[in-house]
Amino acid sequence: MRTKFLLTCLVLTLSFVSCKNEEKKDVQEVVGEIKKENPKAFKVIFKVLAKKDDSFHLYYSEDGTLNFPEDKSIWVEVKGISIPQDVVFELPEDHIPTQLRVDFNSIQKQESLQILNFRMKYFNSEFIAEGKYFFDYFGPNEETVEFIDKDKVIFKPKNIEGKRYAPPSFYPSEIAIKNRIDQVVKGVK
């Protein structure tokens, strides 16, 4: 009887540890992919909740226009995980944006995405817009974005005639984003 009890305890303990290790593995996979940041590079960072593997696309201009050519863009692969994660777009060294545009959910497998915050970093200067203040700097392309909860910045790709139209895109609020970029570059808070 005592042997059965000890065996049962051992099996339950191993099962519990196994489940905990699997959850840690998800976090470790995401953390393990973090590369060392270049302090001289301008960074745009979105803290998102993306539960499936995906690819996000940031476009930038350096001439003040809203022309976003492919050669001024950065793709970042996102590992799906059930906790918020930072998605870091690191511009090439000595490239300072004047405008930004971002496409989320390029693979279009996400049921929904949530943006928890948006940051820009350059050297020791940083700017953060939490939650719905994201909309002070970016506006949705209404043809591609369907909101689930706008106050919590939860959205999904818009369906047209039963098909997903295009990745959800957000365009800059031109003056606001330009002013914030300038402040980050100059180190002004």
Side-chain angles (χ1 to χ4, degrees):
M1 179 88 166
R2 183 179 171 154
T3 306
K4 279 186 178 180
F5 176 75
L6 290 174
L7 187 59
T8 303
C9 287
L10 180 64
V11 168
L12 288 173
T13 302
L14 289 175
S15 296
F16 179 73
V17 169
S18 174
C19 290
K20 280 294 198 187
N21 285 342
E22 213 166 281
E23 187 176 302
K24 286 181 183 176
K25 182 181 174 190
D26 286 345
V27 175
Q28 287 172 345
E29 285 176 4
V30 172
V31 173
E33 294 174 4
I34 295 173
K35 66 177 187 172
K36 187 173 179 176
E37 288 186 4
N38 178 353
K40 297 178 183 178
F42 190 95
K43 290 166 223 39
V44 179
I45 305 155
F46 296 92
K47 182 175 284 296
V48 300
L49 182 57
K51 295 182 180 177
K52 296 185 179 179
D53 292 355
D54 210 332
S55 184
F56 296 168
H57 198 179
L58 179 82
Y59 294 90
Y60 64 96
S61 69
E62 294 179 281
D63 60 5
T65 69
L66 295 180
N67 296 324
F68 297 110
E70 188 63 36
D71 67 333
K72 299 278 186 190
S73 71
I74 303 164
W75 286 90
V76 172
E77 298 299 317
V78 177
K79 183 78 175 158
I81 189 167
S82 60
I83 59 172
Q85 62 182 298
D86 284 344
V87 177
V88 180
F89 295 93
E90 189 173 291
L91 277 64
E93 198 171 310
D94 300 324
H95 287 245
I96 304 299
T98 54
Q99 295 295 328
L100 301 169
R101 172 190 144 190
V102 63
D103 293 355
F104 296 100
N105 198 11
S106 294
I107 298 175
Q108 300 214 10
K109 291 183 179 179
Q110 301 289 340
E111 298 297 318
S112 67
L113 280 159
Q114 181 176 13
I115 300 172
L116 295 131
N117 70 39
F118 151 66
R119 295 183 293 160
M120 293 184 290
K121 285 177 70 175
Y122 188 63
F123 285 95
N124 292 328
S125 181
E126 182 173 32
F127 165 75
I128 300 173
E130 297 285 343
K132 66 182 179 180
Y133 295 106
F134 167 79
F135 295 119
D136 290 348
Y137 303 95
F138 292 95
N141 175 348
E142 299 291 339
E143 294 178 352
T144 63
V145 177
E146 182 178 331
F147 284 102
I148 295 169
D149 186 334
K150 195 168 185 175
D151 286 337
K152 293 182 180 176
V153 197
I154 302 172
F155 59 93
K156 65 181 183 178
K158 191 173 213 170
N159 288 327
I160 297 177
E161 297 177 11
K163 294 183 180 180
R164 292 192 172 169
Y165 176 71
S169 298
F170 290 84
Y171 285 85
S173 297
E174 293 176 62
I175 294 171
I177 198 82
K178 169 105 177 65
N179 288 342
R180 282 296 179 190
I181 290 169
D182 289 345
Q183 288 175 339
V184 169
V185 169
K186 292 176 184 170
V188 178
K189 296 216 179 211

